[in-house]
């Protein structure tokens, strides 16, 4: 009988505000590369409210402290998101259409999978994902990320949940179960996959509740038939732009899909202070649009030329460095409303990047003990992510679902003015400003399209 082990990440992300986020300085040093004496990354430093900073010129205008904790912005010093940008670049290069990924969602799912692995299987996963050789450091990192995401605030809704569904025929090893609970806040639940209709309903209800209906049906009976383990990480985030677009300012305009194809799209407009830079490296404009509370932000990269986005994607891993140049400007922003769903089958990309043993008969996942016979052991069969995003005048919602299925081995500053007009294909990413983790990366090539898909042949 074919048995499967799914790891799934469901994230529904809608703009939000932040609460006070206190992260221990030692954790920042060990996990994110911040060292005492080094200028702290602004977004990672929290509770920076000891005293108001006065400008050198008494007649100068202070930056709104509610908007930004400091007038100095610097990217995270640690090279922790190489995998995120590599994945984004590979999917983006597959076509010139819309795409949406949740790098953090995939990493959370793969991190738990890595905890169940040993030997070459674990080493390949850790290497490709950029995990430290010190497993305790990796666990602390994800524990810190999850703690950050679980911070409650009256300014936004963020539901984060994690479960591992275990079939009656499987038995998680005690150490794996303890690690999943302690560092990934993941609860284990036994389910009878021999009753697929009941199991699928249970799983879908849980995911739908956490994502507030954004992902009502993740799995069907066929998906769970013969399944051994299902790991779920679900996230729902809802909030508002720090500087909202006035609905009555939205007007139709032309979006240039190509030099020969134009489409009439509703464009939103707002004129306010944003962190912005004109990038000579990418020949593009880079804009930071914070959500209320400044815990999350969307970054938009709009090339100056209609065909300029490939230049950005070519050196995408250097994008962090460009964020050093962000300065506060009065920016007139024109952004299209857009909403689309996207499905990515990522096992081919992971193989390309070096995750190979996990897909072979030699895969080793002893953290989930099912039996000692060869036909009872597991390997990865597919990695699938389902994502969606909606951006409007008040905010945005983004959600993602990542499945990793395993089958048994023998079965299957100065006041300045700028203008950003996103009327051509552009790149965007949404990150947690406290930990600098990329929740979503994507491209809007045609705001009128409702769905898309990626599969590496």
């Amino acid at each position: 009988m074919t048995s499967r082990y799914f790891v799934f990440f469901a994230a529904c992300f809608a703009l939000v505000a932040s609460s006070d986020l206190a992260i221990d300085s030692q954790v920042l040093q060990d996990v994110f590369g911040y060292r005492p004496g080094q200028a702290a990354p602004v977004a990672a430093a929290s509770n920076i409210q000891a005293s108001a900073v006065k400008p050198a010129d008494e007649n100068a205008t202070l930056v709104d402290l509610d908007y930004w904790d400091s007038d100095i912005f610097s990217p995270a010093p640690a090279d922790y998101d190489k995998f995120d940008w590599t994945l984004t670049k590979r999917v983006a290069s597959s076509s010139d259409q819309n795409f949406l990924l949740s790098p953090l969602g995939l990493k959370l799912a793969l991190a738990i999978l890595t905890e169940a692995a040993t030997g070459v299987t674990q080493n390949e996963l850790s290497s490709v994902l950029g995990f430290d050789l010190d497993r305790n450091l990796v666990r602390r990192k994800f524990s810190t990320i999850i703690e950050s995401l679980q911070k409650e605030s009256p300014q936004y809704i963020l539901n984060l949940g994690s479960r591992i569904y275990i079939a009656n025929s499987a038995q998680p090893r005690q150490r794996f179960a303890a690690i999943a609970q302690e560092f990934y806040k993941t609860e284990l639940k036994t389910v009878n996959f021999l009753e697929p209709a009941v199991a699928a309903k249970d799983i879908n209800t849980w995911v739908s509740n956490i994502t507030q209906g954004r992902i009502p049906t993740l799995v069907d009976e066929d998906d769970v038939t013969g399944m051994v383990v299902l790991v779920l990480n679900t996230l729902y985030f809802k909030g508002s732009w720090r500087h909202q677009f006035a609905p009555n300012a939205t007007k139709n305009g032309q979006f240039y899909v190509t030099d020969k194809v134009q489409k009439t799209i509703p464009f939103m407009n707002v004129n306010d202070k944003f962190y912005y830079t004109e990038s000579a490296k990418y020949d593009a404009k880079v804009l930071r649009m914070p959500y209320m509370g400044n815990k999350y932000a969307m970054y938009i990269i709009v090339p100056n030329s209609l065909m300029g986005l490939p230049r950005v994607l070519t050196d995408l891993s250097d994008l962090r460095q460009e964020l050093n140049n962000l300065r506060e400007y009065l920016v007139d922003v024109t952004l299209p409303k857009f909403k689309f769903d996207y499905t990515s089958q990522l096992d081919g990309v992971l193989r390309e990047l070096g995750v190979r043993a996990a897909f072979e008969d030699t895969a080793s996942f002893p953290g989930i003990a099912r039996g000692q016979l060869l036909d009872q052991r597991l390997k990865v069969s597919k990695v699938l992510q389902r994502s969606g995003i909606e951006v409007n005048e008040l905010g945005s919602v983004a959600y993602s679902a990542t499945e990793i299925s395993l089958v048994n081995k023998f079965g299957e500053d100065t006041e300045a003015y700028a203008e950003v007009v996103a009327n051509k294909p552009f790149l965007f990413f949404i990150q947690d400003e406290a930990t600098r983790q990329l929740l979503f990366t994507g491209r809007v090539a045609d705001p009128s399209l409702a769905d898309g898909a990626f599969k590496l042949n």
Side-chain angles (χ1 to χ4, degrees), residues 12 33 41 61 82 98 109 121 141 171 193 202 204 207 215 226 264 271 302 325 357 403 405 435:
C12 187
T61 301
K82 182 179 179 181
N98 294 347
T121 305
K141 175 177 179 176
Q171 180 64 43
F193 287 119
D202 184 19
N204 289 330
V207 173
I215 305 177
T264 301
N271 192 308
V302 183
N325 301 321
E403 293 181 356
S405 21
T435 62

Side-chain angles (χ1 to χ4, degrees), residues 262-402:
Q262 302 176 31
K263 294 192 176 181
T264 301
I265 299 294
F267 280 88
M268 310 176 292
N269 181 261
V270 65
N271 192 308
D272 217 312
K273 289 183 178 181
F274 294 94
Y275 274 78
Y276 162 89
T277 188
E278 180 79 25
S279 171
K281 176 180 177 63
Y282 293 119
D283 188 25
K285 295 174 172 61
V286 181
L287 176 70
R288 174 185 178 274
M289 297 181 61
Y291 302 145
M292 288 187 65
N294 308 315
K295 179 166 166 40
Y296 299 94
M298 175 184 284
Y299 292 75
I300 296 174
I301 301 92
V302 183
N304 290 321
S305 65
L306 178 57
M307 306 305 292
L309 199 54
R311 177 173 174 176
V312 178
L313 293 168
T314 297
D315 296 316
L316 196 55
S317 59
D318 294 333
L319 183 58
R320 284 287 185 195
Q321 190 62 31
E322 290 298 291
L323 301 186
N324 276 318
N325 301 321
L326 288 172
R327 297 293 183 270
E328 190 176 54
Y329 285 76
L330 180 64
V331 187
D332 188 88
V333 180
T334 301
L335 184 70
K337 295 175 68 172
F338 60 94
K339 177 181 180 180
F340 65 88
D341 295 318
Y342 194 79
T343 300
S344 310
Q345 188 164 332
L346 300 171
D347 39 285
V349 173
L350 290 174
R351 285 178 183 269
E352 272 192 354
L353 297 180
V355 178
R356 299 187 178 93
F359 297 93
E360 305 298 333
D361 292 343
T362 54
S364 176
F365 295 102
I368 305 295
R370 184 163 177 262
Q372 299 303 316
L373 300 179
L374 288 178
D375 62 354
Q376 293 177 314
R377 297 170 66 186
L378 306 169
K379 69 175 181 179
V380 174
S381 63
K382 70 176 179 180
V383 178
L384 182 69
Q385 185 173 95
R386 297 167 187 155
S387 312
I389 188 166
E390 177 179 2
V391 172
N392 57 32
E393 291 86 354
L394 300 181
S396 66
V397 178
Y399 44 96
S400 169
T402 304

